[in-house]
Amino acid sequence: VVHTVKTPHDTDGSVAFVVEHAGKRLGILTDLGHAFSALGPLLQSLDAVFLESNYDPKMLESGPYPEELKRRIVGRGGHISNDESALLLKKHGSQRLQWACLAHLSEENNQPEVALRTHYRVNGNHVPLLIADRYGPSGVFEVK
């Protein structure tokens, strides 16, 4: 079963997905807009998650984007930063969560090692972390 979850991202019809099979739940949570209240209970219900970790605030601030685009990205309809993503996992990641795959990383304003470093700083090794490939398939990740 595929469930949709409306997100406050600033595009029409923006949704996240939860794929449920045999009692296991996988979240595909990108283009979130901001850490809205329904994310906590949703994360607590998942066995695995692809979670937006879009940008590093310092890289965005010093990067080449125009100020208007920077404001959009950090605004309530934009994207989730590495820090926000890590805090979501810290606050709402349950014992049930087998792994988190950091996804939707900005090519201009993030790097896989920066996202991982932020998540490990906030969460330690509490949840195994993976990185979704920007350019192709990321491999097969199992939910047991």
Side-chain angles (χ1 to χ4, degrees):
V1 176
V2 177
H3 306 275
T4 58
V5 178
K6 187 171 176 15
T7 69
H9 188 55
D10 62 3
T11 57
D12 288 337
S14 181
V15 295
F17 300 95
V18 175
V19 179
E20 190 169 0
H21 177 71
K24 301 296 181 188
R25 290 170 53 89
L26 168 68
I28 304 167
L29 310 180
T30 61
D31 284 337
L32 297 174
H34 63 272
F36 57 98
S37 62
L39 277 179
L42 179 59
L43 271 169
Q44 291 170 357
S45 77
L46 299 176
D47 296 287
V49 63
F50 284 84
L51 181 63
E52 178 176 351
S53 195
N54 183 260
Y55 67 94
D56 173 76
K58 290 177 186 170
M59 289 178 72
L60 177 64
E61 183 180 319
S62 64
Y65 284 4
E67 289 304 314
E68 182 177 323
L69 180 55
K70 290 177 183 182
R71 283 191 301 274
R72 177 191 167 264
I73 290 168
V74 301
R76 292 192 52 81
H79 293 288
I80 299 289
S81 72
N82 294 335
D83 298 303
E84 292 167 314
S85 180
L87 288 171
L88 278 168
L89 281 179
K90 181 176 185 168
K91 187 173 181 183
H92 302 292
S94 70
Q95 294 292 80
R96 177 178 180 162
L97 198 60
Q98 297 173 27
W99 51 262
C101 183
L102 307 181
H104 197 36
L105 276 68
S106 167
E107 186 170 12
E108 291 288 330
N109 303 303
N110 210 351
Q111 291 294 323
E113 58 276 4
V114 173
L116 286 170
R117 187 170 48 244
T118 300
H119 277 261
Y120 284 127
R121 177 179 44 81
V122 171
N123 293 305
N125 292 325
H126 177 69
V127 176
L129 296 174
L130 308 162
I131 295 282
D133 191 295
R134 278 189 192 119
Y135 308 107
S138 294
V140 177
F141 305 136
E142 190 173 352
V143 181
K144 297 179 182 183

